[in-house]
Amino acid sequence: MADTAAGATTEPGQADPSRRDFIHIAAIAAGAGGAAALVWPFVDQMNPSADTLALASVEFDLTKVAEGQQVTIKWRGKPLFVRNRTQKEIAEAVKDDTASLPDPQTDAERHKDGKAQWMVLVGSCTHLGCVPTFGGGDYGGWFCPCHGSHYDTSGRIRKGPAPKNLVVPEYEFLSDTKVKIG
Amino acid sequence: MSGHSTYEPKTPVTRWLDSRLPIIRLGYDSFIDYPTPRNLNYWWTFGAILSVCLVSQIITGVILVMHYNPSAAGAFASVEHIMRDVNYGWLIRYMHANGASMFFIAVYIHMLRGLYYGSYKAPREVLWILGCIIYLLMMATGFMGYVLPWGQMSFHGAVVITNLLGAFPIVGESITTLLWGGFAVDNPTLNRFFALHYLLPFMIAGVVVLHIWALHVAGQNNPMGVEPKSKADTVPFTPYATVKDAFGVSVFLILFAIFIFYMPNALGHADNYIPANPLVTPAHIVPEWYYLPFYAILRAVPDKLGGVLAMFGAIGVLFALPWLDTSKVRSMRYRPMAKMYFAILLVVCIILGFCGAKLPDDHVIPHLTTFRVIDADLNSFVWLSRFATLYYFGFFLVILPVLGLVEKPLPVPETIASPALSHPASAPDGAVAAPEMKG
């Protein structure tokens, strides 16, 4: 087909081959383009739906959490740790700012200014998503039972397979005793 | 291999059908007249056993769906409803749950058979690769099926496995969100896993058809790894293979029944009888036994992405196997060195499975703390799985390619029939040698 077009040896009685080529290419392009355009809706339907996205923020009353206590709430289907840290925990976290950290961050970067006692973390291990427990591990913070990741009192990864610190979600203080997460 | 069809329709109806849809001819050529190597042993009955497993899983699965409620709120209760209230629901569910384990036992034996007898070598590369695809589909199906009861192990297993894909740079997180349909494993995840768990077995059935097609083009391998050269090397599928398969299936079903009726939960995990709770992870999370070796490989690598790549690589290497093995001799029966390394591989796979079930930092030999090298405790399961992982990859990537070049194989017989016919036992009258020729 292409040869005939290039050589321009149009046989009598036949339509101009370049016109036929054009129709073939146009038809294939339209078909392929249409199919490609249809792929996205079929993939995107898997992504979070509007009602799932609508439930994305929660408010929490901090007066429920005494010093040295931790409350776990459910946020976006995952556990969320709200921890009222003791002075000792804060001091340990600040002291380790200069230690060698796999995912370097200072303690101050992980809490709101002037609210060092409040640590708000997504309670989902950054390795494979298990829920770490507080009090275990070598660094006084959280320990993930699944594959042995150790986090310190600031929720920073110190040892084990997890690559990142426990995630600090987007949150703000609505008042001194109330936070809005998400 | 199959040659010309010898099927002759005998009645007017079959003649009429044969010229329109030669389906009886296809069945006759494939399962009655089909020539099979005369020396097939019982390791060759696992194809039939696996077919039985697939059919059993599909039938019991379709029945379970009639009583199951695919929602995060109702799934766990509906499984208990099946177990307690549905007539014979316990039987159907135990058949399905243990059937998955049986399926994997059979497929592992089937794969090791192929590995030992060199069934992946030319001209059976495509046959082998189709088998690897079936295995991958089985793993995906098994995983998603395990999520459906929505117990603690279901839920956190799903969390861990979907998070594995998050290890991939750039696209990982989007893929995970796409699988979840939310910010965590939740109702949308359960629903799509249910849909896919229903779909995949039929895809497996489709690939099985291709697998058998490829098998019938290349012909079956056999314990000697020598291609049949004449009619003396083969026997017809029926009755020889049919009866042998039927016997193998029967023995296998006895084992299956022992599990169903006497120890239906032996292969499962007690924590999966606790309803899913996203806020608490079970203290010791393990996958089903058939994934344990891969789980051990995952944990052996101290890096998240590295671990995930090693785990997928452990399956990926099987796809390349036909080109990694450089030996011209097909069956390990004539490869003394390869036979030895194969035996070690077998042990290593079992060790990996064992390590996968243990906590990584626990001691292999209790109360022994002397094997410390700098910061590493070599007497721990994580180190044992590291050594085992090294051998696993070493076997495929180093030993097999090199061995084919340096190993001196034993003499391989010319034909399948020759050792049998020259055997002293068959010398007197040859009656044992070719029973199918005697009518």
Side-chain angles (χ1 to χ4, degrees):
Chain A
M1 202 68 201
D3 281 355
T4 4
T9 51
T10 314
E11 285 174 37
Q14 268 200 330
D16 181 3
S18 64
R19 285 177 59 186
R20 180 148 296 190
D21 280 349
F22 175 77
I23 288 179
H24 283 161
I25 293 165
I28 292 166
L38 210 56
V39 167
W40 179 240
F42 278 88
V43 172
D44 194 40
Q45 53 81 23
M46 302 262 287
N47 273 319
S49 55
D51 60 336
T52 307
L53 292 170
L55 293 170
S57 72
V58 289
E59 288 182 16
F60 183 71
D61 180 8
L62 293 173
T63 54
K64 293 182 205 164
V65 195
E67 187 173 305
Q69 219 184 22
Q70 170 179 315
V71 166
T72 306
I73 54 176
K74 200 171 154 188
W75 176 67
R76 297 185 175 178
K78 283 181 189 167
L80 192 81
F81 298 151
V82 179
R83 183 164 186 84
N84 190 345
R85 298 194 292 179
T86 61
Q87 289 306 318
K88 181 167 164 279
E89 285 170 32
I90 299 169
E92 273 173 22
V94 173
K95 179 169 68 71
D96 283 353
D97 279 352
T98 50
S100 119
L101 299 167
D103 181 15
Q105 245 186 339
T106 62
D107 187 53
E109 286 169 334
R110 297 180 55 77
H111 58 74
K112 298 287 177 198
D113 288 341
K115 309 270 187 195
Q117 71 188 113
W118 295 108
M119 185 54 55
V120 180
L121 299 169
V122 176
S124 174
C125 181
T126 58
H127 182 225
L128 295 173
C130 294
V131 184
T133 49
F134 190 85
D138 300 348
Y139 295 89
W142 289 266
F143 174 72
C144 180
C146 289
H147 308 98
S149 292
H150 301 251
Y151 297 90
D152 64 15
T153 53
S154 188
R156 291 173 297 203
I157 179 67
R158 302 301 294 271
K159 192 174 132 186
K164 299 262 184 220
N165 301 335
L166 288 179
V167 172
V168 178
E170 208 179 288
Y171 72 98
E172 56 179 335
F173 279 85
L174 299 176
S175 68
D176 272 355
T177 58
K178 200 164 215 182
V179 282
K180 181 178 171 224
I181 299 132
Chain B
M1 181 72 200
S2 44
H4 290 291
S5 174
T6 58
Y7 170 68
E8 277 173 36
K10 294 204 172 58
T11 67
V13 176
T14 48
R15 261 196 298 279
W16 180 89
L17 183 63
D18 193 52
S19 57
R20 285 160 180 80
L21 179 72
I23 189 165
I24 303 177
R25 178 182 299 274
L26 180 70
Y28 181 88
D29 293 346
S30 310
F31 303 110
I32 295 178
D33 192 38
Y34 184 73
T36 60
R38 61 184 292 154
N39 59 336
L40 296 186
N41 57 28
Y42 275 106
W43 300 117
W44 261 263
T45 60
F46 280 86
I49 289 169
L50 285 161
S51 310
V52 170
C53 287
L54 181 61
V55 171
S56 160
Q57 287 302 87
I58 289 179
I59 292 174
T60 52
V62 169
I63 294 170
L64 287 173
V65 168
M66 296 176 187
H67 305 281
Y68 172 74
N69 175 359
S71 74
F76 188 87
S78 74
V79 171
E80 286 310 301
H81 158 74
I82 291 170
M83 292 301 291
R84 297 159 193 235
D85 301 338
V86 175
N87 300 328
Y88 293 102
W90 60 271
L91 176 65
I92 312 272
R93 176 165 178 263
Y94 279 155
M95 282 176 78
H96 197 73
N98 286 286
S101 283
M102 292 297 124
F103 208 155
F104 275 97
I105 291 174
V107 87
Y108 283 134
I109 295 174
H110 192 65
M111 289 163 79
L112 286 167
R113 192 283 320 270
L115 190 59
Y116 184 81
Y117 293 113
S119 299
Y120 49 85
K121 293 190 189 184
R124 297 185 182 83
E125 302 96 322
V126 173
L127 175 60
W128 172 262
I129 288 171
L130 287 167
C132 293
I133 292 171
I134 294 172
Y135 175 55
L136 267 184
L137 288 172
M138 278 176 64
M139 294 183 75
T141 312
F143 159 63
M144 289 194 269
Y146 193 56
V147 174
L148 301 185
W150 212 239
Q152 271 291 64
M153 280 292 165
S154 297
F155 182 88
H156 291 279
V159 169
V160 168
I161 302 296
T162 49
N163 268 304
L164 284 180
L165 301 167
F168 291 108
I170 308 165
V171 291
E173 302 254 328
S174 327
I175 293 176
T176 311
T177 310
L178 201 73
L179 282 176
W180 287 342
F183 302 105
V185 173
D186 211 334
N187 197 49
T189 326
L190 175 62
N191 272 283
R192 62 195 55 183
F193 278 16
F194 174 61
L196 294 174
H197 183 72
Y198 206 127
L199 166 72
L200 287 187
F202 296 98
M203 291 179 68
I204 292 177
V207 185
V208 165
V209 169
L210 297 181
H211 191 65
I212 295 174
W213 183 11
L215 174 73
H216 282 214
V217 170
Q220 282 166 294
N221 185 28
N222 60 77
M224 287 163 71
V226 177
E227 295 292 344
K229 293 189 177 64
S230 69
K231 266 193 94 100
D233 290 339
T234 63
V235 290
F237 193 96
T238 300
Y240 296 93
T242 328
V243 169
K244 198 157 187 156
D245 283 349
F247 184 74
V249 168
S250 306
V251 172
F252 187 79
L253 289 179
I254 291 172
L255 178 72
F256 192 177
I258 291 172
F259 273 105
I260 294 172
F261 294 109
Y262 294 97
M263 37 206 257
N265 289 305
L267 299 170
H269 198 294
D271 277 15
N272 219 28
Y273 284 102
I274 304 168
N277 177 2
L279 302 186
V280 182
T281 301
H284 186 194
I285 185 160
V286 282
E288 288 276 81
W289 69 266
Y290 34 85
Y291 303 126
L292 286 174
F294 299 103
Y295 194 58
I297 291 174
L298 166 78
R299 295 195 302 192
V301 183
D303 174 75
K304 183 174 170 182
L305 179 60
V308 173
L309 289 178
M311 190 183 73
F312 286 120
I315 301 166
V317 77
L318 297 176
F319 283 80
L321 178 61
W323 296 275
L324 289 172
D325 186 351
T326 51
S327 175
K328 289 193 171 62
V329 177
R330 202 176 272 144
S331 171
M332 286 194 191
R333 184 179 276 189
Y334 307 107
R335 301 181 61 193
M337 299 286 284
K339 197 188 271 186
M340 187 188 74
Y341 288 115
F342 175 86
I344 300 173
L345 180 76
L346 200 64
V347 173
V348 158
C349 288
I350 293 167
I351 289 176
L352 278 173
F354 192 61
C355 289
K358 298 285 177 184
L359 288 171
D361 292 329
D362 277 1
H363 284 173
V364 181
I365 307 161
H367 314 301
L368 188 72
T369 49
T370 44
F371 286 103
R372 290 197 75 90
V373 178
I374 314 169
D375 194 24
D377 183 2
L378 297 186
N379 180 27
S380 62
F381 282 103
V382 69
W383 274 99
L384 183 61
S385 45
R386 277 172 193 162
F387 294 126
T389 302
L390 208 62
Y391 183 84
Y392 180 91
F393 283 103
F395 178 83
F396 291 106
L397 299 177
V398 180
I399 294 173
L400 279 186
V402 173
L403 209 55
L405 307 174
V406 300
E407 181 186 40
K408 185 172 161 23
L410 301 175
V412 180
E414 275 298 301
T415 66
I416 296 173
S418 54
L421 293 177
S422 64
H423 194 275
S426 57
D429 56 355
V432 191
E436 78 284 2
M437 301 299 181
K438 305 291 176 198

